[in-house]
Amino acid sequence: MENRIPSALSSSVKSPKTPSGIPFSISERDVIKAILEFLEIRGLHITQLSLEREAGVINGAFSDDLLFLRQLILDGQWDNALDFVEPLKPVKEFDFGAFRYNITKYKFFELLCVKLEPGPLHDNDFAVEELVECLKDLEHICPSPEDYRHLCALLTLPKLSDHEDFKNWNPSSARVECFHKVHQLCGHLLPPTGKEKDRGEESNSSNDRLSGLLAKGRFYEGCVDYCQAQAIGDKRGIEAGPMPSDLLNFRPKLGSTDLSLVCWLEMVGKEQFAMPFKQKQLELRVEHIRKPKLEAPWTETIMATPIKPGGQFPHNLVPSSKLKFAEKMSQSMTMSMLPPADLTTSMFPSVPRGNPMSQSTAAGFCLGTAIAEGDAMAQSLLIDEMMESSQLAKTSRPDSLRGVGMATGGYGSNQQQMVPNAAAQITNQMMSMSMAPQVIAPVAPMAQSMINYDFTPVRRQLDEMTRR
């Protein structure tokens, strides 16, 4: 099939009235976005997420709400992710059951990794307790009994990587995969708000842009070489035709000489652009690398506090809370080191308290309520959290979050934005969940009962689930 380049693209034989220099700029932000897309397409999620954090750049057309939800999942804030979408439950188009199933299932995978992986937390009692609670929740929300039995069967594995589906598993890839699944469920329900649209649409990399640019760059260099061969009469270069250059061949640094082809095209007559040509088909073949099987203590990745680019959304609003079992372990070790104290007195002077946080980071994502009785109420909540028993727990969510209300008014008919401007409040509230000095001493006598907590019922339940 013959094509002709439109005459509107042709130029005069006379010297064009263009400046001697050609302005050319490259945005490093755009380059990073192209790299991020390249990494995500090829499943290099550990590098992708590390680059996102170090550069403070995210590739994707997401609203602020979706960006915040995405970061909650990528940081392993499973329970907070469930709380965040609570205002969407009344929306008919939202399948909250499927959303909850995916979040809980991927949380289960990480807890199972902690339990099975050799190390200090191998078969940890607190981790097993939360694992059992997670399975109890999954029993009621799994799509089918077979799906639940499949999850229970994973308990029999010596290592998570021994299963065919998990031989290349790592927390980073699993979290990215989880977000893609829940994005399909709620992405259309969290559109950009008016303010976000006013900021202007930012370009993002798509359609494997980096690979396309590399291929076109190689073709451009091949065309330059071919034109030079024609100009100097290089028979070998002429016979080879315009061939793409090798990507890593040594070439001089980018300079003005690389504009030779562009400058020559400006001098080509109109009749040259009107010449017919035969369109060829591009046969692009990508030689994929064979990724090695990674060997790493994934428990450390799961438990680690992620790196955050300071002051940048959404990282600055994501809390730094840990999994429930890790919180319990920290409390248990802290309390075990405290000396006995009188229940009626405090071993620390009273510290004046500021006003409790009364606003949330997201409408419906409330992490603070008014405390009626000051220290007494804080002490009561602390004791309740410490003495929580898995026998009565319906979900694996910590009490400090379970008691937090979800304001359904945050999601109205106009789908207003769920992330407000209170940038640091959620982080401060999470930090305030740790024990204040004036309540440590009264709770100290409870330490021994927590340390001597009987995990036998939990172990028995785990054995029953494994047999399923």
Side-chain angles (χ1 to χ4, degrees):
M1 178 179 179
E2 292 187 350
N3 296 328
R4 291 178 182 269
I5 298 177
S7 58
L9 298 180
S10 61
S11 60
S12 173
V13 179
K14 297 180 180 180
S15 178
K17 296 180 180 180
T18 57
S20 58
I22 297 180
F24 193 87
S25 64
I26 295 178
S27 168
E28 288 188 349
R29 186 178 184 86
D30 293 344
V31 174
I32 292 175
K33 286 189 173 186
I35 296 173
L36 288 172
E37 186 207 9
F38 180 89
L39 295 172
E40 183 167 6
I41 290 175
R42 283 147 186 85
L44 301 171
H45 298 115
I46 298 176
T47 307
Q48 174 199 350
L49 300 187
S50 297
L51 180 57
E52 283 187 8
R53 296 180 189 280
E54 186 171 5
V57 177
I58 297 175
N59 179 62
F62 304 122
S63 66
D64 285 354
D65 291 332
L66 269 177
L67 274 178
F68 185 70
L69 175 61
R70 177 180 184 269
Q71 205 58 50
L72 285 174
I73 294 175
L74 297 184
D75 284 3
Q77 301 289 327
W78 306 109
D79 297 326
N80 290 339
L82 287 174
D83 287 339
F84 183 74
V85 300
E86 189 80 11
L88 294 177
K89 288 179 68 175
V91 181
K92 294 181 180 179
E93 294 82 4
F94 180 51
D95 189 349
F96 179 73
F99 184 96
R100 182 183 173 191
Y101 164 71
N102 280 289
I103 293 293
T104 309
K105 181 176 69 171
Y106 281 85
K107 177 184 177 181
F108 166 75
F109 292 154
E110 292 195 358
L111 288 169
L112 186 61
C113 174
V114 173
K115 176 187 180 298
L116 298 179
E117 187 174 78
L121 296 180
H122 173 71
D123 206 30
N124 178 270
D125 287 328
F126 290 104
V128 169
E129 181 186 30
E130 189 170 5
L131 182 69
V132 170
E133 293 175 0
C134 203
L135 273 175
K136 286 181 180 179
D137 202 11
L138 285 166
E139 185 176 10
H140 302 288
I141 59 178
C142 278
S144 65
E146 290 76 16
D147 187 78
Y148 178 70
R149 284 194 290 269
H150 172 72
L151 295 177
C152 291
L154 297 177
L155 296 170
T156 63
L157 295 172
K159 291 191 304 182
L160 190 60
S161 58
D162 289 345
H163 194 282
E164 181 66 22
D165 295 340
F166 295 89
K167 63 180 181 179
N168 294 317
W169 184 91
N170 67 74
S172 298
S173 293
R175 292 172 181 180
V176 171
E177 182 181 69
C178 179
F179 172 72
H180 286 318
K181 290 186 177 182
V182 300
H183 184 205
Q184 299 174 4
L185 299 174
C186 62
H188 61 291
L189 301 175
L190 299 173
T193 62
K195 292 183 178 180
E196 293 175 46
K197 293 178 180 178
D198 293 341
R199 292 200 300 260
E201 295 185 0
E202 188 175 351
S203 299
N204 294 284
S205 181
S206 59
N207 299 323
D208 204 2
R209 178 64 170 160
L210 182 59
S211 295
L213 288 173
L214 291 173
K216 293 173 184 178
R218 292 179 59 196
F219 270 118
Y220 179 85
E221 288 185 341
C223 290
V224 171
D225 294 341
Y226 179 71
C227 291
Q228 290 177 347
Q230 290 280 11
I232 64 177
D234 182 2
K235 294 183 178 179
R236 184 176 179 181
I238 296 174
E239 292 175 357
M243 299 296 294
S245 64
D246 292 333
L247 186 62
L248 300 181
N249 265 8
F250 175 78
R251 296 221 174 206
K253 190 176 180 180
L254 182 68
S256 298
T257 54
D258 293 291
L259 294 176
S260 300
L261 180 59
V262 176
C263 297
W264 177 76
L265 288 174
E266 289 181 332
M267 303 303 298
V268 174
K270 174 180 178 180
E271 63 279 2
Q272 300 296 325
F273 286 97
M275 292 183 62
F277 64 92
K278 183 177 181 181
Q279 181 68 53
K280 296 183 178 180
Q281 297 297 321
L282 176 64
E283 298 179 358
L284 179 62
R285 182 173 61 90
V286 178
E287 298 179 3
H288 297 285
I289 63 171
R290 184 176 180 180
K291 294 189 293 184
K293 183 177 180 180
L294 302 180
E295 297 179 359
W298 298 125
T299 299
E300 294 182 8
T301 303
I302 295 171
M303 304 293 294
T305 300
I307 299 172
K308 295 185 179 183
Q312 289 202 7
F313 179 84
H315 304 275
N316 59 336
L317 294 184
V318 176
S320 299
S321 57
K322 303 177 183 178
L323 288 168
K324 181 181 176 183
F325 85 88
E327 296 282 358
K328 285 188 173 183
M329 284 180 56
S330 299
Q331 293 173 0
S332 177
M333 290 187 292
T334 300
M335 303 307 295
S336 65
M337 294 186 296
L338 291 176
D342 187 358
L343 284 172
T344 60
T345 61
S346 173
M347 58 191 298
F348 298 98
S350 178
V351 178
R353 291 177 179 269
N355 292 331
M357 189 180 77
S358 59
Q359 298 178 357
S360 64
T361 297
F365 189 68
C366 301
L367 294 181
T369 55
I371 301 178
E373 297 299 332
D375 292 354
M377 179 62 71
Q379 177 177 335
S380 176
L381 291 174
L382 177 63
I383 295 175
D384 289 344
E385 180 179 356
M386 291 182 57
M387 300 307 297
E388 178 192 16
S389 171
S390 63
Q391 301 291 337
L392 302 177
K394 186 175 182 181
T395 72
S396 58
R397 200 172 310 172
D399 282 347
S400 55
L401 294 180
R402 192 182 309 155
V404 170
M406 296 294 300
T408 56
Y411 187 89
S413 57
N414 61 349
Q415 295 185 351
Q416 61 183 1
Q417 185 183 17
M418 296 168 67
V419 179
N421 296 326
Q425 291 179 347
I426 189 170
T427 304
N428 294 334
Q429 177 66 12
M430 281 299 179
M431 294 175 62
S432 67
M433 289 180 182
S434 59
M435 289 171 285
Q438 61 267 35
V439 298
I440 292 181
V443 184
M446 298 293 181
Q448 193 63 34
S449 62
M450 186 168 185
I451 296 172
N452 297 331
Y453 178 77
D454 184 12
F455 289 96
T456 304
V458 175
R459 293 287 180 177
R460 188 179 299 113
Q461 294 175 22
L462 183 65
D463 292 339
E464 292 176 358
M465 292 174 176
T466 305
R467 285 195 293 270
R468 294 182 184 181

